[in-house]
Amino acid sequence: MDPAPVARAVFAALGGIVEIGAVRSTGTWLVPDVSVGAFLAFRENDLGRLMEGVRVVGRFSGEVMAIADELGYFREHEVSGASLLLWSEGIAGVPQPPERIEDPALVRRMCRIGADLQQTRLLQALVTAALAAGTEPGEGAAWIADILRGACQLAEPVDPRTTPADIHRMWRVAHLPGILRPDSDAPEWGKAGHRAYDVDLERLFQG
């Protein structure tokens, strides 16, 4: 399997988490107040540890990890109501008139929804990367757990409420039924791998 699309899925979910965290860190829910660069400047070491975990889990080469820089999510860039609408997949709806998309109440709702979606997508992307790389659950689950802890801190830098255990439960109900159902076209090794990661993550998060 080509590792580049797998890595892009991981970096995209992380990019959404970073943007949402940058919005939340303002405390105002005003998009013009957002600075991704300032948000990450205080979290450079945390992001570095998280990315090292991604590299290990996916056994990504330096060339593949460089895709993160090419995408531009982890340096200063504009955050808009439209991007928050994308990360939240339109669940909150498109306001009428559309200019209301940066209304603070709607921004707050999109951030809450988007954080749940992107953290769940991140976990699925990480498990996919681990399985594609042949990283055994006994090793990979511990790294993934650390990555999710870091992602939670990025997504909710103020008044954190979501835990890695919450993300694991959301992922299990959102992704596993489609993969593990009897008529799924997922290969048997993929089904077994997802089950094994679910068991190990449950052990780590739930006890």
Side-chain angles (χ1 to χ4, degrees), residues 148-193:
L148 292 184
R149 293 185 188 101
C152 285
Q153 293 170 357
L154 288 173
E156 294 182 311
V158 180
D159 190 23
R161 300 183 181 183
T162 304
T163 68
D166 296 328
I167 299 170
H168 171 244
R169 288 194 298 270
M170 288 189 289
W171 166 76
R172 181 159 54 192
V173 299
H175 289 274
L176 289 193
I179 295 169
L180 300 180
R181 69 175 187 268
D183 61 342
S184 167
D185 59 1
E188 288 305 315
W189 64 266
K191 291 181 179 180

Side-chain angles (χ1 to χ4, degrees), residues 26-48:
T26 66
T28 66
W29 304 103
L30 296 174
V31 174
D33 291 347
V34 177
S35 170
V36 172
F39 175 71
L40 290 178
F42 293 100
R43 298 166 175 84
E44 184 176 355
N45 291 337
D46 294 334
L47 181 62

Side-chain angles (χ1 to χ4, degrees), residues 91-170:
I91 290 175
V94 179
Q96 295 300 325
E99 291 75 19
R100 288 187 54 248
I101 197 168
E102 294 188 357
D103 178 84
L106 181 58
V107 167
R108 184 174 185 174
R109 180 165 164 75
M110 289 191 293
C111 284
R112 286 174 171 170
I113 295 168
D116 287 346
L117 275 169
Q118 298 310 317
Q119 288 179 109
T120 306
R121 292 271 174 83
L122 174 62
L123 177 48
Q124 176 57 27
L126 289 169
V127 172
T128 299
L131 293 176
T135 305
E136 292 296 327
E139 174 191 2
W143 281 100
I144 289 174
D146 283 340
I147 294 167
L148 292 184
R149 293 185 188 101
C152 285
Q153 293 170 357
L154 288 173
E156 294 182 311
V158 180
D159 190 23
R161 300 183 181 183
T162 304
T163 68
D166 296 328
I167 299 170
H168 171 244
R169 288 194 298 270
M170 288 189 289

